[in-house]
Amino acid sequence: MSISNSANQMIKWVAFFMIIALATPAYAQHDMAMSNSPLNQSGNEIFGTIQEVIQKLEANPNTDWSKVNLEALRQHLLDMKAFTEEVEVLSKKPIKNGVEVTVHPKSDRAVGALKKLFKMHPNMIKSEKGWTMEAQQDGENWVITCTTEKADEVDKIRALGYIGLLAEGSHHQLHHWMVATGQMHMN
């Protein structure tokens, strides 16, 4: 039994449309899963922060891509990871109007990260909170003091301790945006 050329064409078209019809729900499901994932986190915080920056840059039609420097942001975020995770807090003691904290960096990256951090963060704490922060190297360790003239904030400063004083303030996100968009260079 031979099938005519037109019948053969028709069978091919029907088969083609059946494949498309069967595949479409799978593709739609895949697309939906990609855009409507029940998960919010994209991986670790460094990756997630960079992903958020990319999304904001792509949403802005005025983005000057020639100035974008995601590698600088990645390096800065790695420094933040180092001064968060690769530092041992040796002591925390109350002083007049505040706290004194001694920390020991446990990696070369943490050593460099602390040097960069303490060039900028004390000024940010002063401008945002009115607190006075000083950080001095003592051999391999850092001695950090933070004080206030506001008696009702002394207990807060003491409770914040090392990492709380570093996390304090609302300047971090703007700082990261400025690094990523080439408006601020990290040394």
Side-chain angles (χ1 to χ4, degrees), residues 40-102:
N40 293 320
Q41 299 300 315
S42 60
N44 67 45
E45 283 190 50
I46 293 172
F47 189 87
T49 299
I50 293 169
Q51 185 180 57
E52 181 183 14
V53 167
I54 292 168
Q55 291 168 351
K56 300 291 183 189
L57 291 168
E58 288 178 335
N60 180 358
N62 297 319
T63 293
D64 183 350
W65 288 97
S66 69
K67 293 183 179 177
V68 170
N69 190 343
L70 297 177
E71 181 58 22
L73 177 59
R74 185 179 81 87
Q75 291 301 319
H76 174 66
L77 295 172
L78 287 169
D79 283 347
M80 289 183 71
K81 181 176 173 32
F83 69 63
T84 300
E85 297 178 2
E86 300 168 23
V87 171
E88 180 180 354
V89 177
L90 300 176
S91 67
K92 178 179 101 167
K93 62 183 180 181
I95 59 172
K96 183 179 182 199
N97 296 332
V99 69
E100 177 185 280
V101 181
T102 302

Side-chain angles (χ1 to χ4, degrees), residues 113-185:
L114 288 171
K115 287 179 183 177
K116 293 176 196 174
L117 170 71
F118 292 127
K119 284 182 184 177
M120 298 182 296
H121 196 68
N123 292 331
M124 296 308 300
I125 285 287
K126 186 67 168 177
S127 68
E128 285 188 348
K129 305 300 286 182
W131 301 343
T132 301
M133 177 185 270
E134 295 178 0
Q136 302 293 323
Q137 275 191 278
D138 181 17
E140 293 182 356
N141 299 330
W142 283 84
V143 179
I144 304 133
T145 60
C146 187
T147 58
T148 182
E149 296 302 317
K150 298 177 184 173
D152 61 332
E153 293 184 338
V154 172
D155 285 339
K156 179 179 180 178
I157 287 173
R158 290 175 178 164
L160 288 171
Y162 170 72
I163 198 61
L165 289 170
L166 299 185
E168 179 65 54
S170 58
H171 62 277
H172 300 283
Q173 291 83 351
L174 178 59
H175 171 69
H176 297 161
W177 181 254
M178 292 175 73
V179 170
T181 57
Q183 299 173 57
M184 179 179 281
H185 302 284

Side-chain angles (χ1 to χ4, degrees), residues 14 20-21 24 27 44 75 82 86 105:
V14 168
I20 295 296
T24 299
Y27 284 118
N44 67 45
Q75 291 301 319
E86 300 168 23

